[in-house]
Amino acid sequence: MEQVKENQLAPTPVILGIDDVRPLPRATRIARTSDEGIQLLQEHRDSYIDELWLDHDLGGDDSILPVITLMEEAAFNGQPFRIGTVFVHSANPIGAETVVRSLTRWNYRVRRATA
């Protein structure tokens, strides 16, 4: 019987981040704007996302809210994104709480992380 190496058993976790400035070293892919974030999520529509890291303020007038709307609409239509945990790491406490409340309402597993 041939032994399988341990790292071949578990695929690399998919960790996505949407943040305008943070490096997010654990992330496998990072989007810097809400438009890029929407595209990133749509690219992973049919796969499991282990972790999704979200910042509320994305520079200028941009925010995470278009991404949140996409996730809410998917859940409303009975096809939520398959995400292990969504981490909200914004330095904007009111914005972060809005994201946590919105996604929790649609049964996404959401955690507040320190920015």
Side-chain angles (χ1 to χ4, degrees), residues 12-17 23-30 50-51 53 87:
T12 303
V14 175
I15 301 173
L16 306 180
L24 303 175
R26 293 186 47 212
T28 50
R29 301 261 316 272
I30 298 175
D50 294 277
E51 295 178 12
W53 288 79
F87 292 95

Side-chain angles (χ1 to χ4, degrees), residues 29 97 111:
R29 301 261 316 272
E97 188 53 38
R111 300 286 177 262

Side-chain angles (χ1 to χ4, degrees), residues 1-110:
M1 187 174 201
E2 202 175 307
Q3 278 193 332
V4 179
K5 290 183 182 174
E6 197 172 312
N7 64 357
Q8 290 176 329
L9 295 176
T12 303
V14 175
I15 301 173
L16 306 180
I18 305 172
D19 190 306
D20 59 328
V21 294
R22 290 178 190 85
L24 303 175
R26 293 186 47 212
T28 50
R29 301 261 316 272
I30 298 175
R32 297 297 182 187
T33 66
S34 60
D35 286 344
E36 288 177 11
I38 287 169
Q39 182 179 342
L40 186 62
L41 277 182
Q42 288 173 332
E43 288 172 14
H44 289 82
R45 186 65 185 109
D46 298 323
S47 59
Y48 181 77
I49 301 166
D50 294 277
E51 295 178 12
L52 176 63
W53 288 79
L54 303 176
D55 183 15
H56 182 275
D57 302 318
L58 298 175
D61 292 335
D62 198 12
S63 78
I64 201 66
L65 295 182
V67 174
I68 301 308
T69 300
L70 174 73
M71 294 173 68
E72 289 174 316
E73 287 173 352
F76 175 80
N77 291 323
Q79 298 179 326
F81 286 87
R82 295 183 306 129
I83 303 170
T85 305
V86 178
F87 292 95
V88 181
H89 60 266
S90 179
N92 175 340
I94 294 169
E97 188 53 38
T98 299
V99 171
V100 170
R101 260 197 330 270
S102 298
L103 294 180
T104 300
R105 176 176 180 244
W106 292 103
N107 297 316
Y108 288 101
R109 183 173 177 223
V110 186

